[in-house]
Amino acid sequence: MRSSIIRQRRQVLDTYSVSTRRNITTSSSRTPRPLPGLCHACSKAYSQTQTPSSPQRRFQSFHASAQTSPNTNTPPTTPRIPQTHYEFFPKTLSAGPPPNGPFHIDVRELRREFLQLQAVAHPDRHSHHNKIRAEATSARINEAYKTLQSPLLRAQYLLSLRGVNVADDETAKVADPDLLMEVLEAREEIEGAGSEEDLVELKRVNEERIERSEEVLERAFREDDLGKAGDEAVRLRYWVNIRESLHAWEEGKPVVLAH
């Protein structure tokens, strides 16, 4: 009887031992559940299987999304193309063309701004992709500066903006006998000069004519008198031609004074 009881107890112990080994093997093969971690930024618990995103990653992803998905409510801004020569030089010519702004221009300030613009727009400062556009912009800046720095070209340009063409109109002449007489006398004096010293007085007188003509143009454009401005632009063209002939004078060289 005693031996039978001992055998039963051994069977129970053997069965318990096998069951325990099975439980241990099964539990060890499972992935242990990680302990919750603690975020140092917000002091909230998070699973260690989930790594908190770093601020740098969040910034990079936002920057990328901003580039790939721009705000459709805000239209892309493009630089405004200047409509007149004056708009190329907002510092020097902030008031714009006459009659809002003056006809007179500070040429030294204009040149300073011109050099600054060319330093930025020069084609060599741009990539090959933007070089053609830079060349076109540089050419327009050159044209605007060349036109505005000359009172004659400036007056002709301002009149052309208002539909008055005196630059290429061969019929645009001043029906003033005194003016024509002055022009003919200047031509004869230049042709008869034996040296540059003989032309010093004529140069002085002609420069005074140019100054008076520019003053007339200043008033005419300020008063928006296009008729008077057109007549004076033609007159100024005579004086400028005389100046050019005086500067290009050579003994024995014929004088050609275009109107």
Side-chain angles (χ1 to χ4, degrees), residues 27 45 113 159 185 243:
S27 61
E113 189 171 1
L159 290 167
E185 290 176 354
R243 173 197 276 171

Side-chain angles (χ1 to χ4, degrees), residues 43-248:
S43 299
K44 292 181 180 179
Y46 63 90
S47 173
Q48 290 181 352
T49 58
Q50 297 177 350
T51 304
S53 59
S54 64
Q56 183 178 5
R57 284 185 181 274
R58 289 199 299 268
F59 173 78
Q60 290 174 348
S61 61
F62 172 77
H63 182 68
S65 63
Q67 288 182 336
T68 56
S69 301
N71 186 1
T72 56
N73 296 328
T74 304
T77 58
T78 56
R80 183 176 180 274
I81 300 176
Q83 301 300 310
T84 67
H85 291 344
Y86 280 74
E87 294 181 19
F88 278 104
F89 307 96
K91 296 180 181 178
T92 308
L93 308 173
S94 57
N100 295 328
F103 173 75
H104 173 75
I105 289 178
D106 188 335
V107 179
R108 285 195 292 182
E109 290 296 323
L110 182 70
R111 178 167 179 76
R112 183 179 292 108
E113 189 171 1
F114 163 72
L115 294 176
Q116 293 173 352
L117 290 172
Q118 283 293 40
V120 175
H122 196 281
D124 292 344
R125 294 177 58 90
H126 295 264
S127 63
H128 178 72
H129 178 71
N130 296 324
K131 201 161 190 175
I132 296 179
R133 178 180 295 179
E135 289 175 351
T137 302
S138 179
R140 288 199 61 190
I141 294 173
N142 278 329
E143 179 186 1
Y145 172 73
K146 178 183 177 182
T147 300
L148 296 178
Q149 60 89 28
S150 166
L152 173 60
L153 298 180
R154 189 191 318 148
Q156 293 173 344
Y157 172 73
L158 290 172
L159 290 167
S160 69
L161 292 178
R162 306 291 294 277
V164 181
N165 184 9
V166 296
D168 302 322
D169 188 359
E170 294 296 331
T171 64
K173 300 179 181 180
V174 177
D176 184 350
D178 294 335
L179 170 64
L180 297 177
M181 184 61 65
E182 287 182 275
V183 173
L184 291 176
E185 290 176 354
R187 174 179 177 176
E188 292 175 359
E189 190 172 350
I190 295 173
E191 288 180 341
S195 65
E196 291 188 7
E197 287 75 14
D198 297 338
L199 301 175
V200 172
E201 180 62 17
L202 179 58
K203 287 181 179 179
R204 184 190 64 79
V205 172
N206 194 67
E207 290 302 314
E208 292 178 353
R209 292 167 177 163
I210 291 176
E211 290 180 6
R212 288 196 299 268
S213 188
E214 292 177 6
E215 292 174 357
V216 173
L217 286 169
E218 178 72 46
R219 291 193 300 270
F221 281 114
R222 184 173 61 247
E223 298 169 359
D224 206 23
D225 189 343
L226 299 183
K228 187 175 183 179
D231 290 341
E232 196 60 38
V234 175
R235 187 187 300 270
L236 179 59
R237 184 166 61 180
Y238 282 107
W239 306 143
V240 170
N241 286 335
I242 291 176
R243 173 197 276 171
E244 293 174 351
S245 297
L246 288 168
H247 289 168

